[in-house]
Amino acid sequence: MKTRVRFAPSPTGPLHIGGLRTALFNYLYAKKDKGIFILRLEDTDQNRYVKGSEKYILESLNWCGISPDEGPINGGNFGPYRQSERKYIYEKYIEILINNGSAYYAFDTPEELAIAREKSEKKGESFRYGSHNRHLFNNSLSISNENISKNVSKKHVVRLKVEPGRQIHVFDEIRGNISVSSSLIDDKILMKADGMPTYHFANVVDDKLMSISTVIRGEEWLPSLPTHKLIYDAFGWKTPKFMHLPLILKPNGKGKLSKRDGEKGGFPVFPIKWSQEISGFRESGFLPNAVVNYLALLGWNNGNEDEIFSLKELIKSFN
């Protein structure tokens, strides 16, 4: 299988330096194996969309010399590359899961869920909507077929049906074997009330349809990996390889590096200028090959004392 990787940011503001490093590691991994580096914009949450973000992401990647082989601007055979333009695809695939019993309609109102969440908190418990209590809620597993037909025309979400008592095994190329009991996983929402998919559903469907061979992303998505494995299994699809990268931390090592840390410490946390108030490495006088060299060595080295690499040398050495 040809190596195909994707960098899939959300256009909700400037590209953080941690996101740029994720893009770089994807790029190096692909080019080392003469593969394809894809840019996919995960813009299904239109409420969080920030104008100018897409242009900023592309300019940042181009400035660093890691331009995508396929994407929303240069196209490719696996588009569209904006998730907001793929709604018709998600509608088709959600029907497959509903029909094979792996997903179900849920008609609960936000108010009803808020009450249930409050009751759990009063008991000192975390609220989970799943196999232990789904029969108590208003969904297609708990009501008659006649009522399902009436409710489907109203606002609803679609949830993944997680069967309890199963061990979910996933392998991460960096972390090794991961095993989680399905009883600890709730019935995640796959399709929202506005008809748009959640991250969990869209990224699995897109990675499959775009023939992604290896998913390289930040470790904040590691807890979601068992859920993603369940979605792959529900379709009967083979999973790609997974690699979850450690995050770039604050100077004191506690928590993810933020814009505020940069302001406080007097260093940039974005590749290029975002606004009049927020400058980047470029505006601070750094050369793009220096930024690429710096990012590559945050979490990787070639096993010796080499510290200076060109992009071509990084591609040759990267593992």
Side-chain angles (χ1 to χ4, degrees):
M1 182 180 184
K2 187 176 182 64
T3 298
R4 290 175 58 84
V5 301
R6 48 68 165 182
F7 176 53
S10 297
T12 54
L15 177 63
H16 187 274
I17 202 72
L20 184 61
R21 187 192 63 160
T22 298
L24 174 63
F25 278 26
N26 273 278
Y27 178 88
L28 296 175
Y29 184 86
K31 296 307 171 183
K32 174 70 182 281
D33 205 28
K34 295 181 172 54
I36 302 296
F37 172 58
I38 298 158
L39 175 66
R40 184 175 75 219
L41 293 172
E42 301 198 336
D43 60 345
T44 56
D45 190 345
Q46 291 295 298
N47 292 325
R48 296 180 61 228
Y49 178 82
V50 176
K51 188 177 180 181
S53 297
E54 180 179 331
K55 181 181 177 183
Y56 178 92
I57 291 166
L58 287 163
E59 188 177 350
S60 296
L61 296 179
N62 290 336
W63 179 65
C64 289
I66 52 176
S67 303
D69 300 302
E70 298 175 19
I73 301 302
N74 51 340
N77 296 326
F78 295 82
Y81 293 91
R82 294 182 187 91
Q83 287 188 334
S84 59
E85 298 172 1
R86 297 172 64 83
K87 186 177 177 182
Y88 67 99
I89 297 173
Y90 306 128
E91 289 172 347
K92 171 186 171 183
Y93 280 89
I94 202 68
E95 285 298 322
I96 293 174
L97 294 192
I98 291 169
N99 291 335
N100 73 15
S102 300
Y104 62 94
Y105 299 108
F107 311 107
D108 315 284
T109 65
E111 292 76 20
E112 289 169 339
L113 293 175
I115 291 170
R117 192 170 286 108
E118 187 178 349
K119 286 180 179 178
S120 293
E121 289 172 356
K122 284 181 178 178
K123 294 177 184 177
E125 301 171 351
S126 296
F127 175 69
R128 286 192 301 116
Y129 191 123
S131 58
H132 65 292
N133 64 358
R134 63 169 79 109
H135 63 284
L136 302 174
F137 291 97
N138 187 23
N139 56 62
S140 57
L141 300 178
S142 64
I143 62 178
S144 66
N145 290 333
E146 182 182 340
N147 285 329
I148 292 172
S149 301
K150 289 178 182 177
N151 280 294
V152 165
S153 60
K154 302 175 185 176
K155 271 197 170 184
H156 63 272
V157 301
V158 177
R159 290 182 178 270
L160 178 67
K161 185 183 178 187
V162 181
E163 300 295 351
R166 171 187 166 190
Q167 282 298 120
I168 305 163
H169 301 284
V170 199
F171 184 78
D172 181 271
E173 301 289 328
I174 298 171
R175 308 308 176 100
N177 288 308
I178 296 166
S179 182
V180 178
S181 170
S182 63
S183 300
L184 300 175
I185 298 175
D186 55 354
D187 291 358
K188 289 282 190 297
I189 294 175
L190 302 180
M191 194 72 80
K192 295 177 285 189
D194 62 1
M196 295 301 283
T198 60
Y199 170 83
H200 303 296
F201 186 65
N203 99 88
V204 168
V205 171
D206 288 346
D207 286 346
K208 172 64 178 179
L209 298 185
M210 292 182 180
S211 295
I212 300 301
S213 62
T214 309
V215 173
I216 305 173
R217 58 191 175 191
E219 69 177 1
E220 64 265 37
W221 294 112
L222 195 59
S224 300
L225 188 55
T227 296
H228 298 168
K229 176 67 163 61
L230 287 175
I231 299 172
Y232 277 102
D233 290 349
F235 281 114
W237 293 341
K238 182 182 177 182
T239 60
K241 289 182 179 179
F242 293 105
M243 300 181 191
H244 288 81
L245 306 176
L247 304 178
I248 298 178
L249 303 180
K250 296 173 179 285
N252 65 9
K254 297 178 181 178
K256 184 179 175 181
L257 181 70
S258 70
K259 171 191 163 189
R260 196 172 199 177
D261 297 316
E263 291 171 346
K264 186 178 178 181
F267 55 85
V269 296
F270 301 110
I272 62 177
K273 185 176 183 179
W274 168 248
S275 65
Q276 294 301 321
E277 297 79 32
I278 306 174
S279 65
F281 278 88
R282 183 176 67 182
E283 291 71 32
S284 299
F286 291 89
L287 298 175
N289 57 336
V291 174
V292 166
N293 194 120
Y294 151 66
L295 288 176
L297 295 175
L298 285 177
W300 170 87
N301 68 55
N302 66 348
N304 57 38
E305 299 299 316
D306 295 343
E307 293 185 350
I308 299 176
F309 298 85
S310 67
L311 189 57
K312 284 185 178 180
E313 289 168 336
L314 283 172
I315 291 169
K316 185 177 180 180
S317 300
F318 191 74
N319 185 318

